[in-house]
Every structure is written in structure tokens, then in C-alpha cells.
Amino acid sequence: MIGGTRRLGEVLAVLSGKGGTGKTSVCAGIATALAESGERILCIDCDVGLRNLDISLGLSDSGALSFLDVCSGGYPLDRAEKHPDYPNLFFLTAPMNCGAEQIDPEAFGQMLRRARLEFDFVLLDAPAGVDAGFRLVTETADRFLVVTGAGPAAIRDASRVGELLELAGKKHVRLVVNRVDRDMLSTVRVTIDDVMDISGLPLAGVVLEDVNVTLAASFGQPLLRYAKRCDAAKAFRRIARRVQGFPEPMKLR
Ligand SMILES: Nc1ncnc2c1ncn2[C@@H]1O[C@H](COP(=O)(O)OP(=O)(O)OP(=O)(O)O)[C@@H](O)[C@H]1O
Ligand SMILES: [Mg+2]
């Protein structure tokens, strides 16, 4: 809202260190849930060279601009792809023909400063790993959702990422435990408590293993449209409400 007095938008990074934990699915789920509730959202795929947030958002046919097109000054932010189902959700994809280390963090940060003036939330879908792409995202975001599975290896990785963020002086870091098997709920609850103790990361939410996540992507639709009331969609809406600062009970289903 140019010229208005709206508060500055927040930049929320979805990351994990470990690959395949569900960062992209969680990012798309929360972005669409926030958009559903009326927030103005910009989603940026930061997985340079390996992008796929477009698929989870149901935008794979869109030919969206990349964030590099915008932060290199070639295009204005208002050329970001507008989602056909969510008119207040916009999208910039990741560039394909360069490495994350070739992105200028200063230019990226400048683009985000402009985006804060125009959007309520900017969501960054981070790449796996803790190198250049991870650094780009962690340097520029205000809040962090660390996505982990419920297994011990994933949990150790999440704890490590929590430590790296703490070392970088980042304060608003929360955990999303994804792909939780419903038959193991009682066991997993203990594990979640353990990981919160070990990592010191407060919980933002738990998402059950839900086949609709993969099915929605296969059909090229956002999950929250494809299966409005499935377990994962409900979990993403609950996390979105917590991100908005509303009290929301920590339910599993
Ligand atoms: N809650 C869930 N239930 C079932 N399947 C899921 C769930 N979350 C993610 N998946 C599936 O797990 C796979 C990996 O998910 P996704 O691409 O979101 O992970 P990622 O962490 O972004 O991966 P990468 O590190 O490669 O970027 C996909 O096939 C996705 O459909
Ligand atoms: Mg991903």
C-alpha cells in the first residue's frame, strides 16, 4: 500500500538444513492459508537451480519472473506473478542458470525492503543445506520456521540449524514437525517434547503425514484448494494463525 500507513511486512523463512523435510510444501501451505485469511503475501522460491515452489502453489504453468529478474533491477516488484486462485498472493520463482553464491545479498535485501512496504508477509522457501542459499535467507529474514521430520537424524539436523540461527543472533525461530505418522502419535509426542528440550526451539506446529500433499502437487493444485479439510491443510491453517499472532491450540488433527 504505497503512501499508506500500514505496518511493515515481515519476512518469514522456511528452512531445515536437511533435504526433503517438506520446506516447500510447508511454505506453500502456510502462504495459501495466510492469503485465505486476507493477508497480502509474496512467496519467493530461494532454491536457486532446483526450484519447485511453483508446483506446490499450483503455479507450474505460470512462467513467473525469478527474484533475480527483480533484484537485479530488470523488473519492478509489481510484476511478480499473481495467483489465479488467491488474488492477494504473489510469487517470484528462483533463477535456474546460476548458483546461490552468485546472488548479491545486498540486492536481495534491498528487494525485500521494498517488499515489506507492499506485503504483510514475505515467505522465503530455503534450499536444503547450510551454504550460500541458506545464508542468503537467514541474513534477510526476521522469523524462521525450521521444518523437521520426527526421526532422530532429522531432529539432530533441526537442532543444529537452531544453533546456527542462534549464533547468527536470530530470535524468532520455531519448529514445524512434518510428516508425522498418525499411528505413532504417542511415541512421536515424546520425541517432539525431546526435540524442543534439546534444541530449545518452541513448536509452531505439527503436520501429519498426508497423501493429499503429494496428490495436490501431482494435480498442479494448491493443497488448500485440492483438499480443503485434510489433516495437512488444517495444520497449515493453524500454523498460519500462530504466525499471525493468534492463540491457537496445539492440535494434531
Ligand atoms: N505432510 C506431508 N505428508 C505427506 N507428504 C509430504 C508432506 N510434506 C511433504 N511431503 C512430500 O515430501 C516430498 C518432499 O517435500 P518438499 O519438496 O516440500 O520438501 P523440501 O524440504 O522442500 O525438499 P528439498 O530439500 O528438496 O527442497 C514431496 O513429495 C512432498 O509431496
Ligand atoms: Mg524445497
Side-chain angles (χ1 to χ4, degrees):
M1 201 185 295
I2 295 167
T5 53
R6 70 199 300 285
R7 67 179 164 83
L8 277 185
E10 291 191 69
V11 181
L12 179 69
V14 182
L15 39 75
S16 68
K18 193 173 175 64
T21 55
K23 297 174 287 299
T24 300
S25 310
V26 169
C27 185
I30 296 172
T32 46
L34 287 168
E36 247 181 20
S37 73
E39 305 280 11
R40 203 171 141 77
I41 305 298
L42 175 64
C43 262
I44 306 181
D45 190 336
C46 297
D47 200 346
V48 174
L50 291 169
R51 65 194 186 190
N52 53 22
L53 182 58
D54 54 332
I55 298 174
S56 295
L57 286 170
L59 287 173
S60 52
D61 297 330
S62 72
L65 280 186
S66 84
F67 71 77
L68 190 59
D69 293 327
V70 176
C71 68
S72 65
Y75 290 87
L77 202 49
D78 62 14
R79 292 285 302 276
E81 186 76 16
K82 184 181 187 166
H83 200 294
D85 299 328
Y86 301 94
N88 46 338
L89 172 60
F90 295 78
F91 172 61
L92 291 171
T93 194
M96 286 300 281
N97 300 319
C98 68
E101 61 292 338
Q102 289 165 268
I103 309 289
D104 174 9
E106 182 48 38
F108 188 76
Q110 217 160 31
M111 175 184 71
L112 291 182
R113 281 193 285 282
R114 287 201 303 278
R116 283 171 202 275
L117 301 171
E118 304 283 336
F119 296 93
D120 298 309
F121 292 96
V122 180
L123 273 80
L124 306 180
D125 178 24
V130 290
D131 37 34
F134 178 87
R135 285 196 299 276
L136 186 71
V137 163
T138 51
E139 276 168 23
T140 44
D142 311 307
R143 294 165 70 176
F144 301 85
L145 291 177
V146 180
V147 183
T148 179
I155 286 168
R156 185 188 293 164
D157 271 32
S159 306
R160 177 77 192 123
V161 168
E163 282 165 17
L164 288 175
L165 291 171
E166 197 182 337
L167 282 172
K170 304 296 178 179
K171 299 243 179 292
H172 302 281
V173 185
R174 288 176 164 256
L175 196 68
V176 174
V177 185
N178 187 33
R179 306 199 70 165
V180 173
D181 185 330
R182 68 196 74 210
D183 298 329
M184 289 175 57
L185 287 184
S186 54
T187 322
V188 166
R189 265 189 202 147
V190 174
T191 315
I192 291 167
D193 285 347
D194 287 348
V195 76
M196 285 172 65
D197 283 351
I198 295 163
S199 64
L201 296 179
L203 195 59
V206 177
V207 186
L208 292 178
E209 172 77 25
D210 186 337
V211 70
N212 291 297
V213 175
T214 307
L215 285 174
S218 312
F219 287 109
Q221 287 183 38
L223 175 73
L224 271 65
R225 288 269 155 155
Y226 175 77
K228 285 185 174 38
R229 290 183 217 303
C230 70
D231 288 334
K234 286 198 265 183
F236 291 140
R237 287 195 189 93
R238 283 196 291 267
I239 298 171
R241 284 182 54 78
R242 291 183 197 111
V243 164
Q244 288 172 296
F246 297 119
E248 185 65 30
M250 198 57 75
K251 288 195 274 184
L252 290 163
R253 313 192 72 168

